[in-house]
Amino acid sequence: MTKTPDVVISFLEDHRKRLTPEGAIEIKKFLDLKEADLRSRGEFADDRKLYLWDSDFYSRMNSERVHSFDRNKVAEYFPLDKMFIGLCEVYEHLFGMQFIEMTHEQLDDVVEQEKGLAMIWVWDNDEEGGEFLGYLYIDLFPRIGKYNHAGHYYLRPGFIREDGKRSYLASALVMNLSKPTSTKLSLLKAEEIRSFFHELGHAVHCLVSRTKYKVFHGPLTDRDFSEVPNMMLENFFWQFRHIKDISHHYAHISPEYMAFWRKMNPSANSPPLKIPNELVTTIIDSRRSDRVLQHLNQLHLTNFDMKIHSPETHKEIEETNFAELWNRQRKEITMLSGPEDLGQGYEWGHGYTSFRAPMGNYDAGYYVYRLSQVYSLDIFCTAFQADTMNAKEGRRFPYTVLEPGGSQDEMITMENFLGRKPAFFGNRHMWK
């Protein structure tokens, strides 16, 4: 979509210009915390600098003071089964889809033997024509030898066969959530639910896409665009009404679970069915707090990726001191001090070796995460922020944005939905 490196570099420069003043404010806040913390322990800093090893510590300290809540208590309101049903109901309402889980009688022995494995048929609802869309396999819990992150994977893209009939999509949603036990359900923290929204967003993109050739199906688009739809759908979780709607305290699922909860909380009143309003507000506020330095760190990674992939000559890349380049860019962009401020120069360490993206299919492409955030927020704020359950816009989104996949220029896809060019240089909500 961006076509040239100059466009990407211009985007990153604008990104940095917007973030730097906010980053300086955040650093000052953490420095004040650091000074007070050291004073409380009878220590004193020789300089007023925020070092790499200070950042996460004081960010967490500030978050715990300002947004103090017990994440495990919050997780009690999000048992996996109830959360998944609530999430599917959001997508069913918006996009006119139906998720139908196969019964045990319809599954083979392998699927039956493992908890957390399921197969779901996905259809358009009757109002949208009742057409079959595809198969979604779900693999939720960790086991030996399994990939240990979250992801969505094609098993078979959709396409039109030579006889004119559609070959239907089959894909897998893979997570690694805490396994339930005989006394405890799988309870999800906010970040796990966000990840679920994200990965299921990839699945919805695949299911709704209708292309002639499989090479263009679903998120098989320009790299710039492939993360946009699911990042847009992530925004739904961070809305007050949806956090409330998908919540369901596990103690209300059965008398046995209520008895277990009372045993663990003998002096407390019974928990409400839905998560309390003040906890919802705290979850939302915690997402927005102390994020600027995280954005700047991502900007550092993105700039490093572009720099090492755009040398003027082969000799230039051979002569590049990657440790020095990495540390100088980090200092300039994040404004965080490191060993270079303790007399060790800029050649210390090999931090760049921990950055896997340039060697893992994202060479000169790590910027897509930043750009996708801008595009996805533009879509969400334009079409859904006023009413996140707007079924009219919900129907228009899959037909206009998801269905074409990579079969047309993705900028045309964006313009068709927004009615204008996307806000390439950011959305005001991005910086809040």
Side-chain angles (χ1 to χ4, degrees), residues 15-16 19-24 27 291-303 329-330 333-335 370:
H15 217 57
R16 181 178 175 182
L19 286 169
T20 297
E22 296 295 325
I27 286 176
R291 295 292 300 277
V292 182
L293 289 183
Q294 293 179 31
H295 286 307
L296 285 170
N297 182 59
Q298 289 297 306
L299 192 59
H300 161 229
L301 300 180
T302 305
N303 274 274
Q329 283 199 338
R330 187 219 74 241
I333 295 172
T334 69
M335 299 175 284
R370 314 308 303 161

Side-chain angles (χ1 to χ4, degrees), residues 107-361:
L107 297 173
D108 61 35
D109 292 339
V110 175
V111 175
E112 285 189 53
Q113 288 170 6
E114 283 285 348
K115 286 185 177 181
L117 295 180
M119 180 177 174
I120 295 176
W121 288 318
V122 186
W123 302 72
D124 278 331
N125 64 20
D126 292 340
E127 184 182 331
E128 297 301 311
E131 183 179 342
F132 181 65
L133 298 177
Y135 307 92
L136 177 62
Y137 293 86
I138 295 180
D139 183 357
L140 298 176
F141 304 130
R143 60 181 176 274
I144 296 174
K146 179 183 171 182
Y147 175 71
N148 59 4
H149 295 289
H152 172 264
Y153 304 96
Y154 270 117
L155 302 177
R156 181 182 67 199
F159 60 94
I160 302 297
R161 301 195 306 242
E162 288 185 7
D163 62 6
K165 295 181 180 179
R166 175 161 291 279
S167 178
Y168 293 104
L169 164 100
S171 68
L173 176 64
V174 178
M175 306 290 287
N176 280 280
L177 307 172
S178 56
K179 270 190 173 182
T181 67
S182 58
T183 57
K184 187 178 180 183
L185 294 167
S186 178
L187 305 176
L188 306 186
K189 296 180 174 64
E191 180 57 27
E192 291 177 309
I193 304 172
R194 181 211 62 79
S195 181
F196 218 119
F197 268 80
H198 181 100
E199 301 303 342
L200 189 58
H202 277 306
V204 168
H205 194 177
C206 293
L207 289 160
V208 172
S209 181
R210 291 177 172 87
T211 57
K212 182 176 181 180
Y213 302 107
K214 68 179 182 180
V215 71
F216 298 125
H217 189 261
L220 298 177
T221 63
D222 277 355
R223 179 76 74 174
D224 317 45
F225 187 76
S226 61
E227 295 288 336
V228 170
N230 47 294
M231 281 191 172
M232 195 285 289
L233 292 170
E234 275 186 47
N235 289 291
F236 284 82
F237 170 64
W238 297 107
Q239 307 307 306
F240 190 100
R241 68 178 295 178
H242 296 306
I243 295 177
K244 193 88 174 178
D245 285 348
I246 68 174
S247 68
H248 186 112
H249 197 284
Y250 81 89
H252 292 273
I253 292 176
S254 72
E256 292 77 15
Y257 283 123
M258 179 62 80
F260 176 77
W261 185 89
R262 290 189 186 283
K263 180 180 178 181
M264 301 302 293
N265 303 270
S267 60
N269 295 325
S270 297
L273 175 66
K274 295 293 185 179
I275 188 170
N277 291 348
E278 60 271 19
L279 268 183
V280 178
T281 301
T282 302
I283 292 170
I284 295 171
D285 288 346
S286 69
R287 180 214 182 189
R288 297 169 178 163
S289 176
D290 304 337
R291 295 292 300 277
V292 182
L293 289 183
Q294 293 179 31
H295 286 307
L296 285 170
N297 182 59
Q298 289 297 306
L299 192 59
H300 161 229
L301 300 180
T302 305
N303 274 274
F304 181 81
D305 178 43
M306 291 301 296
K307 181 66 175 177
I308 64 176
H309 285 100
S310 54
E312 293 292 331
T313 64
H314 183 72
K315 183 179 180 181
E316 179 184 332
I317 201 68
E318 285 184 324
E319 295 177 350
T320 297
N321 185 320
F322 291 102
E324 181 178 3
L325 174 64
W326 173 270
N327 289 322
R328 282 192 183 278
Q329 283 199 338
R330 187 219 74 241
K331 176 71 180 293
E332 292 169 2
I333 295 172
T334 69
M335 299 175 284
L336 293 173
S337 297
E340 67 275 357
D341 287 315
L342 299 173
Q344 296 189 30
Y346 282 96
E347 297 185 24
W348 65 270
H350 302 280
Y352 58 91
T353 62
S354 65
F355 182 33
R356 299 180 302 167
M359 303 300 292
N361 258 353

Side-chain angles (χ1 to χ4, degrees), residues 34-98:
K34 178 181 177 180
E35 190 174 283
D37 177 50
L38 292 176
R39 193 183 308 118
S40 71
R41 291 187 273 140
E43 301 176 22
F44 180 74
D46 294 332
D47 53 21
R48 189 168 165 81
K49 294 182 185 294
L50 192 71
Y51 289 94
L52 290 168
W53 46 89
D54 291 328
S55 177
D56 286 348
F57 180 81
Y58 290 106
S59 175
R60 183 183 180 93
M61 179 182 287
N62 185 67
S63 180
E64 289 175 347
R65 290 182 179 185
V66 178
H67 308 294
S68 179
F69 64 96
D70 186 332
R71 285 168 169 75
N72 291 322
K73 288 294 183 184
V74 169
E76 292 182 359
Y77 288 93
F78 298 104
L80 173 59
D81 289 351
K82 293 293 184 181
M83 185 284 300
F84 184 65
I85 291 171
L87 175 54
C88 288
E89 287 174 349
V90 172
Y91 287 161
E92 286 177 342
H93 173 82
L94 283 172
F95 305 143
M97 306 170 73
Q98 287 183 303

